[in-house]
Amino acid sequence: MNRKIIATLAATIFLLSACSDPTGEDTGTKTIVTSEKADTTTTTNNQLSDDYYKTMITNGNYQVSKTRGSTLGLNSNFNLKAFETGLMSLSQLHFNTEDYYFQEGQYIDSTTANTWLRRASKENPDGLNPEDNGKIEPNERNPYYLNSILEQDYMIKKDDKFTLGGISIGLSMNAIDYYQKVAFGADYETKISRDELLKQGKEMANKIVQRLRETQGIGDIPITVGIFEQSPKDSLAGGSFIAEAISEKGDTKVGEWKELNQEKVIFPLVDKTSNELTSFENFKSEVEYFFPNLSGVTAEASYTNDQLMKMKVTITTQFYGESEMIGFTQYVTEKAVTFLPPAIPIEITIESINGTEAFMARKAGETAFITHVFD
Amino acid sequence: MNRKIIATLAATIFLLSACSDPTGEDTGTKTIVTSEKADTTTTTNNQLSDDYYKTMITNGNYQVSKTRGSTLGLNSNFNLKAFETGLMSLSQLHFNTEDYYFQEGQYIDSTTANTWLRRASKENPDGLNPEDNGKIEPNERNPYYLNSILEQDYMIKKDDKFTLGGISIGLSMNAIDYYQKVAFGADYETKISRDELLKQGKEMANKIVQRLRETQGIGDIPITVGIFEQSPKDSLAGGSFIAEAISEKGDTKVGEWKELNQEKVIFPLVDKTSNELTSFENFKSEVEYFFPNLSGVTAEASYTNDQLMKMKVTITTQFYGESEMIGFTQYVTEKAVTFLPPAIPIEITIESINGTEAFMARKAGETAFITHVFD
């Protein structure tokens, strides 16, 4: 859909909505309805897939995060999505999607998060990033190691009441700390080694767990911490979680760290060859051969322990008409079945200047793709 | 996905691809392979749904329309998609998706189409739009009735050979003819009544059929013609086909016209009330109640003979993070099942400033939605 049209549409609707009661309730009976709802905590019945938790709904509203929007400060949208969904996946190691319900973080508020993210100083003793040492050269200054903190709450249901069952904390760490020597000046970069990043992240994890243990309402519930390494600003791949640990039984620090061998690479830009890259390149050639004009074809391949777990393909093409798009989608689906690695989940999006034109997806273990052409 | 990133991505890939053989074949054996392919006409095996035809592939390539891109001149993207997919749907009245294969129009080329679309004059006797009468006022001038011509070919397979089985012609007519009195001047509008639009379209249909009968390769195969009424430039709904007829057995004109009572309206902007509008408004209220911030919710409802056939819902919201989007999608799916009209096909798209964030679809007669959150 055309961007301009969306904008006009949004403006029109907001205008209309402002004149009407957003709850859709008859204003005359509003008080009664509201009081009826006062103690209602429900969840979405609809669980999208085994990979998603059911979501908590309190009084018909979604409880937004106390640090809402804070992940928008990550290096890229790819990092944001990898960070949030990655922490949900990590959480499944300890909190299963059957018994636990998802709620956005309600214990660390914005003020606290900002205090923790700033540099340590006399005025800000709780800052987790190191003191300013007065240097400005990339290899001399103390970088910001920690970029963002994400809290997720996992609730359990007992006798129709929900109580906190677990907390997951994600620490988004900078592999590159982008900074300016003067305000609005040129961008400089301090590179941070993975060893240093892990060392810093692990120390911060213990400090955060200790502070959370003193936070009202948390008590001795399990707290897991994941260390996320951001990908650079210009990367087409999102970052990955590289280590995780859990603090159980009210411990004021986490237990043993488990290193996670996860990696995301972009095909065909990756420089090491593999069977998957060859498969992808054959697919790409076939797709590009369909039209007289060229399409751009790339994929984000996610590896765990050097095994391909998931592939997300993006095809960028020119839009000449709906019939072409339908024919192209049929063709791409067919070539995906033939050439792309079997058994793993695959997502394919066809994009044009107008936005998303078509979309195909296959779940793990399936052979057929679900296909949709937007019209 | 971020627009800027797509652009960068596309540029990168085009650069890479320019250095490699786009067919993916080893250049050494190219001649042989090409000659092997010379007579190969295949089709996509993958038929997206019963509503789509299988597409013809000639020598591994998609045969683009001889007037490729001409539908881009319609009033809006909504009209473009409604025009192309609408003509495919009409074609199913005469050419079933089981026996017929889709091919883009190969008989009317760009030069011919342009000649036909221009005004009639001494220099352009074949022009289908009326002569310039020298007037410039909206109600005095002769408007352009015909905006665009679309040809679709329907092929049949016999002994592994494909032959032309039918042709569909779509005539996109202006209900409003937008024009300038002076080049690059202000926009003026000549309104055209539906009666006049139909009268003109029917006359043009016969002229086109007569000309096609004289075109080599067409002979006496059936030709269907559909008259499409464009929606205005600022409408959020696409136009509709309002009449159709067929010329069989080599007739030089079409047979009896069948009027099509099709209409597309936008909820909640429509001014007449209906059960469907009430259902939609309840759905909208529930969706808007989920978040403390407002979302824009609209739907395009397609009617045939005053019966609701299809609904396309667009939700525009702000993006604060992936977890919220997952929770929101779960919630929207649930409310769609509860509040939106049952049995009919429904498509729901959640859009943010980043593009399409999530997508839900249900086919006719099903109760469950297919759901996808883009990450």
Side-chain angles (χ1 to χ4, degrees), chain A residues 131-143:
Chain A
E131 284 184 338
D132 187 348
N133 63 1
K135 306 282 176 61
I136 58 167
E137 290 311 314
N139 298 321
E140 296 175 1
R141 67 190 274 274
N142 281 338

PDB file of all heavy atoms in Angstrom, chain A residues 131-143:
ATOM      1  N   GLU A 131      33.040   4.844  34.001  1.00  0.00           N
ATOM      2  CA  GLU A 131      33.293   6.285  34.150  1.00  0.00           C
ATOM      3  C   GLU A 131      33.912   6.883  32.902  1.00  0.00           C
ATOM      4  O   GLU A 131      34.655   6.217  32.178  1.00  0.00           O
ATOM      5  CB  GLU A 131      34.290   6.503  35.298  1.00  0.00           C
ATOM      6  CG  GLU A 131      33.709   6.361  36.674  1.00  0.00           C
ATOM      7  CD  GLU A 131      34.771   6.706  37.715  1.00  0.00           C
ATOM      8  OE1 GLU A 131      35.978   6.626  37.392  1.00  0.00           O
ATOM      9  OE2 GLU A 131      34.374   7.046  38.838  1.00  0.00           O
ATOM     10  N   ASP A 132      33.635   8.137  32.672  1.00  0.00           N
ATOM     11  CA  ASP A 132      34.307   8.891  31.614  1.00  0.00           C
ATOM     12  C   ASP A 132      35.751   9.112  32.066  1.00  0.00           C
ATOM     13  O   ASP A 132      35.991   9.691  33.120  1.00  0.00           O
ATOM     14  CB  ASP A 132      33.571  10.236  31.447  1.00  0.00           C
ATOM     15  CG  ASP A 132      34.080  11.021  30.257  1.00  0.00           C
ATOM     16  OD1 ASP A 132      35.143  10.639  29.706  1.00  0.00           O
ATOM     17  OD2 ASP A 132      33.414  11.998  29.871  1.00  0.00           O
ATOM     18  N   ASN A 133      36.731   8.621  31.260  1.00  0.00           N
ATOM     19  CA  ASN A 133      38.136   8.824  31.663  1.00  0.00           C
ATOM     20  C   ASN A 133      38.754  10.068  31.026  1.00  0.00           C
ATOM     21  O   ASN A 133      39.957  10.264  31.043  1.00  0.00           O
ATOM     22  CB  ASN A 133      38.973   7.564  31.354  1.00  0.00           C
ATOM     23  CG  ASN A 133      39.022   7.274  29.858  1.00  0.00           C
ATOM     24  OD1 ASN A 133      38.447   8.015  29.052  1.00  0.00           O
ATOM     25  ND2 ASN A 133      39.716   6.206  29.489  1.00  0.00           N
ATOM     26  N   GLY A 134      37.897  10.875  30.375  1.00  0.00           N
ATOM     27  CA  GLY A 134      38.371  12.141  29.826  1.00  0.00           C
ATOM     28  C   GLY A 134      38.998  12.020  28.452  1.00  0.00           C
ATOM     29  O   GLY A 134      39.253  13.021  27.779  1.00  0.00           O
ATOM     30  N   LYS A 135      39.256  10.785  27.992  1.00  0.00           N
ATOM     31  CA  LYS A 135      39.880  10.596  26.671  1.00  0.00           C
ATOM     32  C   LYS A 135      38.792  10.602  25.578  1.00  0.00           C
ATOM     33  O   LYS A 135      37.640  10.258  25.841  1.00  0.00           O
ATOM     34  CB  LYS A 135      40.617   9.240  26.629  1.00  0.00           C
ATOM     35  CG  LYS A 135      41.625   9.039  27.754  1.00  0.00           C
ATOM     36  CD  LYS A 135      42.918   9.796  27.465  1.00  0.00           C
ATOM     37  CE  LYS A 135      43.911   9.697  28.624  1.00  0.00           C
ATOM     38  NZ  LYS A 135      44.348   8.343  28.934  1.00  0.00           N
ATOM     39  N   ILE A 136      39.219  10.970  24.340  1.00  0.00           N
ATOM     40  CA  ILE A 136      38.245  10.942  23.250  1.00  0.00           C
ATOM     41  C   ILE A 136      38.678  10.071  22.070  1.00  0.00           C
ATOM     42  O   ILE A 136      37.927   9.880  21.118  1.00  0.00           O
ATOM     43  CB  ILE A 136      37.884  12.366  22.738  1.00  0.00           C
ATOM     44  CG1 ILE A 136      39.141  13.103  22.269  1.00  0.00           C
ATOM     45  CG2 ILE A 136      37.134  13.165  23.788  1.00  0.00           C
ATOM     46  CD1 ILE A 136      38.817  14.362  21.469  1.00  0.00           C
ATOM     47  N   GLU A 137      39.916   9.551  22.096  1.00  0.00           N
ATOM     48  CA  GLU A 137      40.352   8.700  20.976  1.00  0.00           C
ATOM     49  C   GLU A 137      39.726   7.308  21.107  1.00  0.00           C
ATOM     50  O   GLU A 137      39.584   6.790  22.225  1.00  0.00           O
ATOM     51  CB  GLU A 137      41.884   8.583  20.944  1.00  0.00           C
ATOM     52  CG  GLU A 137      42.586   9.877  20.540  1.00  0.00           C
ATOM     53  CD  GLU A 137      42.003  10.499  19.274  1.00  0.00           C
ATOM     54  OE1 GLU A 137      41.778   9.778  18.286  1.00  0.00           O
ATOM     55  OE2 GLU A 137      41.746  11.727  19.296  1.00  0.00           O
ATOM     56  N   PRO A 138      39.377   6.673  19.956  1.00  0.00           N
ATOM     57  CA  PRO A 138      38.680   5.381  19.968  1.00  0.00           C
ATOM     58  C   PRO A 138      39.313   4.339  20.895  1.00  0.00           C
ATOM     59  O   PRO A 138      38.601   3.622  21.588  1.00  0.00           O
ATOM     60  CB  PRO A 138      38.756   4.934  18.500  1.00  0.00           C
ATOM     61  CG  PRO A 138      38.817   6.186  17.714  1.00  0.00           C
ATOM     62  CD  PRO A 138      39.534   7.182  18.571  1.00  0.00           C
ATOM     63  N   ASN A 139      40.659   4.261  20.903  1.00  0.00           N
ATOM     64  CA  ASN A 139      41.283   3.186  21.676  1.00  0.00           C
ATOM     65  C   ASN A 139      41.674   3.605  23.086  1.00  0.00           C
ATOM     66  O   ASN A 139      42.245   2.834  23.835  1.00  0.00           O
ATOM     67  CB  ASN A 139      42.515   2.658  20.940  1.00  0.00           C
ATOM     68  CG  ASN A 139      42.102   2.073  19.607  1.00  0.00           C
ATOM     69  OD1 ASN A 139      41.065   1.419  19.509  1.00  0.00           O
ATOM     70  ND2 ASN A 139      42.895   2.334  18.577  1.00  0.00           N
ATOM     71  N   GLU A 140      41.414   4.869  23.435  1.00  0.00           N
ATOM     72  CA  GLU A 140      41.823   5.360  24.761  1.00  0.00           C
ATOM     73  C   GLU A 140      40.628   5.573  25.686  1.00  0.00           C
ATOM     74  O   GLU A 140      40.741   5.424  26.889  1.00  0.00           O
ATOM     75  CB  GLU A 140      42.578   6.686  24.609  1.00  0.00           C
ATOM     76  CG  GLU A 140      43.888   6.523  23.843  1.00  0.00           C
ATOM     77  CD  GLU A 140      44.571   7.872  23.590  1.00  0.00           C
ATOM     78  OE1 GLU A 140      44.026   8.914  24.036  1.00  0.00           O
ATOM     79  OE2 GLU A 140      45.636   7.869  22.946  1.00  0.00           O
ATOM     80  N   ARG A 141      39.506   5.942  25.115  1.00  0.00           N
ATOM     81  CA  ARG A 141      38.330   6.265  25.939  1.00  0.00           C
ATOM     82  C   ARG A 141      37.682   5.000  26.503  1.00  0.00           C
ATOM     83  O   ARG A 141      37.897   3.885  25.994  1.00  0.00           O
ATOM     84  CB  ARG A 141      37.297   7.031  25.114  1.00  0.00           C
ATOM     85  CG  ARG A 141      36.677   6.183  24.024  1.00  0.00           C
ATOM     86  CD  ARG A 141      35.846   7.037  23.091  1.00  0.00           C
ATOM     87  NE  ARG A 141      34.479   7.228  23.570  1.00  0.00           N
ATOM     88  CZ  ARG A 141      33.480   6.382  23.340  1.00  0.00           C
ATOM     89  NH1 ARG A 141      33.673   5.260  22.676  1.00  0.00           N
ATOM     90  NH2 ARG A 141      32.276   6.639  23.792  1.00  0.00           N
ATOM     91  N   ASN A 142      36.921   5.144  27.561  1.00  0.00           N
ATOM     92  CA  ASN A 142      36.080   4.058  28.069  1.00  0.00           C
ATOM     93  C   ASN A 142      34.797   4.026  27.248  1.00  0.00           C
ATOM     94  O   ASN A 142      34.045   4.994  27.260  1.00  0.00           O
ATOM     95  CB  ASN A 142      35.698   4.301  29.537  1.00  0.00           C
ATOM     96  CG  ASN A 142      36.814   3.946  30.483  1.00  0.00           C
ATOM     97  OD1 ASN A 142      37.704   3.164  30.133  1.00  0.00           O
ATOM     98  ND2 ASN A 142      36.783   4.527  31.679  1.00  0.00           N
ATOM     99  N   PRO A 143      34.541   2.952  26.535  1.00  0.00           N
ATOM    100  CA  PRO A 143      33.329   2.929  25.713  1.00  0.00           C
ATOM    101  C   PRO A 143      32.068   2.666  26.543  1.00  0.00           C
ATOM    102  O   PRO A 143      32.156   2.251  27.701  1.00  0.00           O
ATOM    103  CB  PRO A 143      33.573   1.764  24.762  1.00  0.00           C
ATOM    104  CG  PRO A 143      34.451   0.833  25.525  1.00  0.00           C
ATOM    105  CD  PRO A 143      35.310   1.696  26.419  1.00  0.00           C
TER     106      PRO A 143
END
